[in-house]
Amino acid sequence: MRPFDIPDIRARELLTVIALSEYGSFVAAAAYLKTSQPALTRTVKRLERVLGVTLFFRNTRRVEITAAGR
């Protein structure tokens, strides 16, 4: 693997994925990480764009991690 093939993922972004998968809610995960819900949403969208996969299934009540997110 060439260095430029490795996605730019920060430790804080990985913690975001872990927290969101554990809490199943953007609001709860944001509270745990001491950040805002919009910032958490932006982080997940950036990761999904960088990786080219959907990390979470979202609906109005719950967030569930996808196989790619696992």
Side-chain angles (χ1 to χ4, degrees), residues 26 40-50 58:
F26 277 88
L40 192 112
T41 299
R42 284 191 301 272
T43 299
V44 171
K45 285 183 180 181
R46 179 195 176 280
L47 275 173
E48 290 178 332
R49 183 176 29 82
V50 167
R58 304 157 176 90

Side-chain angles (χ1 to χ4, degrees), residues 1-25:
M1 181 175 267
R2 298 178 309 243
F4 51 86
D5 289 339
I6 300 170
D8 178 24
I9 299 174
R10 299 171 191 104
R12 182 76 175 168
E13 293 169 333
L14 293 176
L15 288 173
T16 297
V17 171
I18 292 167
L20 191 51
S21 67
E22 287 181 5
Y23 285 94
S25 159

